[in-house]
Amino acid sequence: VPPTCDWRKARIISPIRNQKNCSCCWAMAAADNIEAQWGIRYNQSVKVSVQELLDCGRCGDGCKGGWVWDAFITVLNNSGLASEKDYPYQSNVDPQRCRVKRNKVAWIQDFIMLQDNEQIIAQYLASHGPITVTINMKPLKQYRKGVFEATPATCDPWLVDHSVLLVGFGSSKSVKGMRAGTASSKPYWILKNSWGAKWGEKGYFRLHRGSNTCGIAKYPLTARVELPDQRHPVHCPP
Amino acid sequence: GFLGAQDPGPRPLELKEVFALFQIQYNRSYSSPAEHARRLDIFAHNLAQAQRLQEEDLGTAEFGVTPFSDLTDEEFSQVYKQPKVPGEVPRMVRKVRSLKQGKP
């Protein structure tokens, strides 16, 4: 595992999305994941339709929540996704609007769930690209910037309720440690949220790495856009 | 005396001033004075919650005014929280093999 990794520097991460009045973080995280994986594999920037995931999902009203694997199953069942431009986001759901279009801009081979181990997650992230995770969003409503570190008592790792894209990791000097005269390194994850670019660190946030803060290791999931035996080696920008 | 003449420095902003700045920054207006007062109460509650998070945090995070500072926890959860508990987490990977690589 390299000391740092930031896929934003590879220009494969799409702009920050905004859910507005729709609880569809699961669909946005899945779309972000497919776009990043597609960018890495084909060196091609695509923007896929979140609205298609919502209208054509198998679980009914996607604006009332869902799970990332539901989104991937929809992509498999529909043989891919249309573009955001052809099938734009409307922040509401109408199953009758589902149009499984012929013109697909991206598709996936399958999807996998990684082990709930932060070291393995970091290794996969560095060598395969961004993945989705589902966390307890307790601190995010009031979050502005910096690395949030919690204990299971302050952010329950079992109560995960928000899906986002994991795009990198690194380490920073702990300010609190420095104040106490014992400077220590704080490893962190970099995560892409879907609440607009005015929230957090330009739409991103950071959580402590190595303590399963807010349950980050509970459901690490990613789509695969190519067959494992035909995979090209990739390297995350430091 | 001399000390009394010293500039005490900028005074901390009052809650109403912070709320006014929030309204400007995030382009918020409310339908009536009563609604404005209700949102101010919610704003104060959220700032207190941010302070608690600040005290709990073991890292370097900063908490405070955000685009959601005038929403109650219930309003925020309704829009942003996934209410569903997964009935069944997929244990089996579904594989779709294409006949020709690069085609859906």
Side-chain angles (χ1 to χ4, degrees):
Chain A
V1 180
T4 58
C5 158
D6 190 348
W7 282 107
R8 292 174 297 182
K9 294 175 185 170
R11 297 178 190 278
I12 51 131
I13 308 294
S14 49
I16 296 288
R17 289 183 151 90
N18 194 339
Q19 294 172 221
K20 296 176 187 164
N21 292 320
C22 172
S23 185
C24 64
C25 59
W26 58 280
M28 293 204 161
D32 283 343
N33 175 240
I34 294 168
E35 287 163 354
Q37 292 291 336
W38 197 265
I40 290 171
R41 171 63 185 86
Y42 298 107
N43 198 24
Q44 190 186 344
S45 171
V46 290
K47 195 122 197 285
V48 298
S49 171
V50 169
Q51 195 61 47
E52 185 174 356
L53 290 172
L54 299 178
D55 290 346
C56 309
R58 62 186 186 132
C59 299
D61 191 347
C63 275
K64 288 187 176 166
W67 297 90
V68 173
W69 49 82
D70 293 328
F72 290 149
I73 289 170
T74 300
V75 180
L76 288 171
N77 288 342
N78 293 0
S79 303
L81 285 174
S83 71
E84 171 68 29
K85 194 180 169 192
D86 282 355
Y87 201 152
Y89 182 61
Q90 298 185 357
S91 75
N92 56 41
V93 176
D94 179 2
Q96 292 181 327
R97 193 169 49 200
C98 173
R99 289 165 293 150
V100 180
K101 293 200 165 194
R102 275 188 177 181
N103 190 17
K104 304 295 185 187
V105 292
W107 49 90
I108 66 175
Q109 298 289 343
D110 62 13
F111 64 92
I112 55 167
M113 191 177 293
L114 307 179
Q115 285 181 54
D116 55 352
N117 175 315
E118 286 180 85
Q119 187 73 1
I120 290 172
I121 292 171
Q123 198 170 30
Y124 192 94
L125 183 72
S127 57
H128 291 74
I131 69 167
T132 69
V133 290
T134 302
I135 61 164
N136 181 338
M137 64 175 218
K138 181 192 164 189
L140 300 189
K141 184 182 171 192
Q142 323 288 0
Y143 174 88
R144 286 175 62 83
K145 63 181 180 178
V147 180
F148 179 66
E149 180 179 357
T151 63
T154 54
C155 191
D156 190 338
W158 293 96
L159 291 178
V160 296
D161 52 17
H162 184 52
S163 299
V164 293
L165 189 73
L166 189 56
V167 300
F169 55 83
S171 297
S172 64
K173 288 271 163 70
S174 164
V175 175
K176 286 177 183 172
M178 284 165 78
R179 275 192 204 133
T182 54
S184 61
S185 179
K186 284 272 180 193
Y188 60 80
W189 295 110
I190 308 166
L191 300 113
K192 182 190 184 194
N193 205 351
S194 49
W195 294 350
K198 285 186 177 174
W199 176 87
E201 297 179 332
K202 295 181 180 172
Y204 291 83
F205 65 105
R206 287 179 290 158
L207 291 180
H208 182 258
R209 175 164 55 101
S211 56
N212 192 25
T213 285
C214 299
I216 191 169
K218 191 168 170 64
Y219 295 133
L221 206 73
T222 182
R224 295 197 290 198
V225 301
E226 61 186 338
L227 301 174
D229 52 352
Q230 292 166 347
R231 206 175 71 81
H232 294 65
V234 293
H235 300 288
C236 181
Chain B
F2 177 73
L3 283 174
Q6 267 186 334
D7 181 1
R11 66 179 173 83
L13 290 175
E14 284 186 17
L15 180 68
K16 283 181 181 175
E17 291 172 311
V18 180
F19 188 55
L21 288 173
F22 161 81
Q23 285 187 271
I24 294 164
Q25 188 178 358
Y26 297 109
N27 198 23
R28 293 288 206 287
S29 58
Y30 305 106
S31 55
S32 63
E35 180 64 8
H36 182 275
R38 190 171 101 84
R39 293 293 159 188
L40 178 60
D41 275 353
I42 295 164
F43 186 78
H45 170 83
N46 281 326
L47 285 191
Q49 207 173 57
Q51 200 171 339
R52 275 196 298 277
L53 280 165
Q54 196 70 65
E55 286 159 10
E56 285 174 4
D57 178 34
L58 304 169
T60 60
E62 285 182 31
F63 298 91
V65 177
T66 72
F68 311 115
S69 291
D70 64 342
L71 299 181
T72 63
D73 288 343
E74 291 71 33
E75 288 169 331
F76 182 75
S77 295
Q78 262 180 6
V79 176
Y80 295 104
K81 200 171 183 174
Q82 290 184 186
K84 287 181 191 169
V85 174
E88 192 185 359
V89 177
R91 283 174 295 178
M92 194 174 68
V93 173
R94 288 184 57 160
K95 288 191 175 181
V96 178
R97 298 257 169 177
S98 59
L99 294 174
K100 194 176 167 187
Q101 197 192 356
K103 295 285 176 190

